Amino acid sequence: MKTVLKMERVSPPPLQLAPQPAKQRRVSARGDNAFRWLTFVCSMVVPLVMLAIGADLIISSLPAIKKFGLGFLFSEDWNPVTESFGAASSIFGTLASTCIAMAIAIPLSLAIALFLVELAPPRISRTVGTMIELLAAIPSIIYGMWGLFVFAPFMANYVQPLVGRTLGFLPLFQGPPLGIGMLTAGIILAFMVLPFISAIARDVFQLVPNVVKESAFGMGATTWEVTYKVTIPYGLVGIIGAVFLGLGRALGETMAVTFVIGNAHRIAASLFSPGNTIASTLANEFSEATEPIYVSSLIALGLVLYLITYLVQVVSQIMLRRMYRAWSVGL
Amino acid sequence: MKRRPPTGRRAVNLVVSIWAVGSALMGIAILFWIIFVVVTRGLGAMNLAFFTHLPTPPGILGGGLVNAMIGTLVLTVAATLMAVPLGLLAGVYLAEFSEDSKIADFSRFSANVLMGMPSIIVGVFAYTLVVVPLGKFSGYAGALALAILMLPLVTRTTEDMLRLVPNTLRESALALGAPRWRVTLAIVFRAAKSGLITGVLLAVARVSGETAPLLFTTLNSPFWFHSLGEPIPNLTVTIFDYAMSPYPDWQQKAWGASLLITAGVLVVTLLARFTLREKKL
């Protein structure tokens, strides 16, 4: 009883709910509305830009599309003098270098994620994780410098002769060891996309509930068995998303590839020979293109790249979104 | 039940573990290989003239890249001024007002797609949008391309950082009678300050090393920076031009410029990462 009385005494006097002046409230509401609209408009700039890029590429490449039609995609011609252009060699090079990159990057980055989550002690895991992430921070052109002046000679002097001697019976690995070419570009691309895939794969591995993993461990499974039979199937959607994210990066990577791929408009069977990609062709020739049809053809190449990466990004976003939503973690 | 001896399984496990450790070591080795090469070759180009003089024509030794350093700074600042206010406000809408509507979802999705868009495509976009109508290459086109690359980064990190601010803070401010816009700008922004700065820094680091979107928008120039309306000297395109040239002196300057860019980007990224980590703990 005593305490109740005490509380009554301490409690503040009843609130006097004086009605706010109507004018002031209206102003505040108006400010809020204006602010909300301002932020809304700003948030619509991003999707608008994305769509505008697509529309702009279609409009600017119309002359080339009209002149060459669908044949543009399948013609290997690329001759600014006769003004005959085809995208086949660039598309082939883009896909080939990306395939090499993914073939190397997927096993490496999944293994790195496995190391970071399951094998390394926390302190080492954090340090190594940061270093791998720094690989993604190094600008593309620095990979290009390193690739052209250091890695390509290394490939020409050590790797390619060795591969040529042992696997030279395959047409893939024939020809002079130039250093620059499809294989070198693919390997450097692999190093560049590796941090993107391993960062998400690490998240995926970490998000698998410990109970699930521990029950497998409790059954006597080894780390590898838990990863292969529990973690990977459980997080498959996320891993596919991660791989597609890396794929998108590899497809559009420009400067590093431009430095080391050799820039030849041809489709060669050997991975040792120079080639080109859509991005490298744009980087090399755009500022020198003067004829309108030449520029338009280059932009049409860009449109092809835009469509491919857009598709890949959409798949990646859907997969990642599905994973994070299923595990109710905000992306 | 018959027990299978675990030797085979253990062996497989061991092989996979070695593969995992080996992959991690290889990743680290590549990182340090690149940094080592850039530092050792770049240091050779460092001297007073490198930081104070204009480039010399091919064949004439000496000279520096001070104009390109200034140009890169100007371009980055211009892009930041365009992208950061827009990105911050867009992030505010997504985090504070969107209530997970369909259209906000589309905006989020577009930001993610735009982040993965090849930077050279953005360069083509800036070319057709600015260079063609103006009839000349200009700094505006390059700055616009860089801003487009920055915008989704800033938007997404802003949203993430604002979502980390506890709702109780907003509610207390609203209960005091503050309008939403003041709550956001004065309370939520202040609470998320270090995270927002980090996000902006990461975005700046990301675009300051970009080359592809500048190749046919801003071009390059051997002269001093005058105005954004003309080709602007910049470090990254200089690296590309000089590296492809047959002159050893120019190639060495390209390494010097590479060292500047790499050091700048890595230092900013590391700083941003460490502040972000403290924020999250």
Side-chain angles (χ1 to χ4, degrees):
Chain A
M1 204 59 204
K2 209 177 178 184
T3 47
V4 172
L5 277 174
K6 207 174 176 185
M7 273 176 75
E8 270 172 7
R9 217 177 46 187
V10 175
S11 70
L15 270 176
Q16 300 202 335
L17 289 171
Q20 251 185 319
K23 195 180 164 197
Q24 193 187 335
R25 221 171 51 214
R26 236 196 357 258
V27 168
S28 142
R30 207 187 290 154
D32 263 5
N33 259 335
F35 185 62
R36 184 199 272 268
W37 272 102
L38 176 69
T39 58
F40 175 72
V41 169
C42 289
S43 81
M44 285 302 112
V45 170
V46 173
L48 273 182
V49 166
M50 187 191 74
L51 297 176
I53 292 177
D56 171 69
L57 290 177
I58 292 174
I59 294 168
S60 302
S61 57
L62 271 182
I65 296 174
K66 270 191 197 131
K67 184 168 178 197
F68 304 112
L70 262 184
F72 181 75
L73 294 178
F74 306 108
S75 160
E76 208 189 319
D77 249 10
W78 190 269
N79 194 334
V81 180
T82 60
E83 298 200 338
S84 161
F85 298 104
S89 74
S90 303
I91 295 177
F92 169 81
T94 306
L95 297 181
S97 58
T98 304
C99 281
I100 301 171
M102 297 315 280
I104 299 168
I106 294 173
L108 274 182
S109 49
L110 291 185
I112 290 175
L114 178 69
F115 170 78
L116 293 177
V117 176
E118 305 287 356
L119 300 176
R123 188 179 288 253
I124 292 179
S125 171
R126 216 182 308 149
T127 317
V128 174
T130 308
M131 287 181 187
I132 299 293
E133 279 171 23
L134 280 186
L135 274 177
I138 294 179
S140 176
I141 191 155
I142 305 299
Y143 278 97
M145 289 291 284
W146 172 77
L148 178 64
F149 290 106
V150 180
F151 193 66
F154 172 78
M155 288 290 289
N157 293 333
Y158 303 104
V159 180
Q160 287 183 343
L162 186 75
V163 175
R165 269 202 304 279
T166 48
L167 296 167
F169 58 91
L170 294 168
L172 281 179
F173 302 110
Q174 283 169 2
L178 298 171
I180 55 173
M182 205 60 97
L183 183 65
T184 309
I187 294 176
I188 292 178
L189 272 181
F191 298 147
M192 297 181 73
V193 301
L194 182 148
F196 291 95
I197 305 179
S198 73
I200 298 182
R202 178 171 69 166
D203 276 2
V204 171
F205 287 174
Q206 261 165 358
L207 288 176
V208 174
N210 272 334
V211 190
V212 180
K213 276 192 229 166
E214 278 158 12
S215 15
F217 278 122
M219 300 285 286
T222 60
T223 311
W224 165 241
E225 284 162 346
V226 172
T227 307
Y228 179 62
K229 291 179 179 161
V230 179
T231 316
I232 290 183
Y234 197 95
L236 191 63
V237 188
I239 290 174
I240 295 174
V243 166
F244 269 78
L245 196 83
L247 191 65
R249 294 264 158 195
L251 286 166
E253 193 46 64
T254 310
M255 294 321 294
V257 175
T258 308
F259 271 78
V260 297
I261 202 161
N263 302 308
H265 281 280
R266 61 156 192 250
I267 297 176
S270 171
L271 299 180
F272 287 1
S273 56
N276 69 331
T277 69
I278 295 177
S280 77
T281 304
L282 287 175
N284 265 316
E285 301 181 19
F286 207 100
S287 54
E288 285 153 24
T290 42
E291 295 305 311
I293 190 73
Y294 192 4
V295 174
S296 179
S297 302
L298 284 169
I299 296 179
L301 273 185
L303 177 64
V304 174
L305 181 60
Y306 174 86
L307 293 177
I308 299 176
T309 38
Y310 191 89
L311 211 69
V312 169
Q313 289 289 331
V314 168
V315 173
S316 140
Q317 291 309 318
I318 290 174
M319 292 292 177
L320 290 176
R321 195 165 278 223
R322 197 193 283 176
M323 175 190 80
Y324 283 107
R325 188 169 294 161
W327 301 351
S328 60
V329 180
L331 182 60
Chain B
M1 207 175 88
K2 226 163 75 178
R3 269 190 74 196
R4 249 186 328 146
T7 358
R9 294 167 49 217
R10 284 220 185 112
V12 171
N13 193 44
L14 186 69
V15 169
V16 173
S17 303
I18 291 173
W19 168 249
V21 175
S23 303
L25 285 179
M26 188 170 152
I28 297 172
I30 300 284
L31 176 73
F32 282 110
W33 190 3
I34 295 175
I35 293 178
F36 173 77
V37 166
V38 170
V39 170
T40 49
R41 299 202 176 191
L43 280 179
M46 296 289 153
N47 52 39
L48 192 63
F50 185 74
F51 292 98
T52 50
H53 282 61
L54 285 180
T56 49
I60 300 172
L61 292 180
L65 294 175
V66 61
N67 61 334
M69 295 169 205
I70 295 171
T72 291
L73 273 182
V74 169
L75 277 175
T76 311
V77 169
T80 308
L81 289 180
M82 280 193 258
V84 168
L86 210 61
L88 284 178
L89 289 174
V92 165
Y93 179 77
L94 295 179
E96 304 281 314
F97 299 124
S98 69
E99 283 145 16
D100 292 318
S101 63
K102 280 248 165 65
I103 192 149
D105 228 32
F106 181 62
S107 174
R108 233 169 257 135
F109 167 82
S110 307
N112 288 345
V113 171
L114 206 55
M115 268 196 265
M117 193 52 60
S119 54
I120 191 137
I121 298 282
V122 177
V124 173
F125 180 62
Y127 173 86
T128 58
L129 208 68
V130 180
V131 176
V132 172
L134 290 183
K136 59 175 182 177
F137 297 101
S138 70
Y140 292 117
L144 175 74
L146 294 183
I148 291 176
L149 290 170
M150 271 182 98
L151 181 61
L153 294 168
V154 177
T155 306
R156 296 292 286 139
T157 41
T158 303
E159 185 191 356
D160 288 349
M161 291 304 135
L162 295 188
R163 278 185 191 274
L164 288 179
V165 175
N167 254 335
T168 44
L169 209 62
R170 292 188 184 88
E171 282 158 7
S172 346
L174 284 172
L176 287 173
R180 277 305 288 261
W181 64 270
R182 281 200 68 182
V183 175
T184 307
L185 295 183
I187 309 291
V188 180
F189 265 36
R190 189 163 296 173
K193 196 170 75 184
S194 68
L196 296 178
I197 293 173
T198 312
V200 170
L201 279 181
L202 280 176
V204 169
R206 166 84 210 288
V207 301
S208 58
E210 280 288 352
T211 316
L214 302 179
L215 278 176
F216 38 80
T217 51
T218 294
L219 243 52
N220 198 2
S221 139
F223 310 113
W224 291 103
F225 162 77
H226 285 299
S227 89
L228 279 170
E230 55 193 56
I232 292 185
N234 63 86
L235 282 174
T236 46
V237 179
T238 303
I239 296 176
F240 183 56
D241 291 346
Y242 278 24
M244 295 299 178
S245 79
Y247 316 109
D249 181 48
W250 274 21
Q251 289 181 359
Q252 194 178 36
K253 291 232 166 50
W255 281 110
S258 301
L259 176 56
L260 281 187
I261 289 279
T262 313
V265 169
L266 288 188
V267 165
V268 172
T269 308
L270 274 177
L271 272 180
R273 273 200 190 290
F274 281 121
T275 38
L276 203 65
R277 188 168 288 156
E278 276 162 23
K279 172 88 188 155
K280 269 181 180 165
L281 282 179

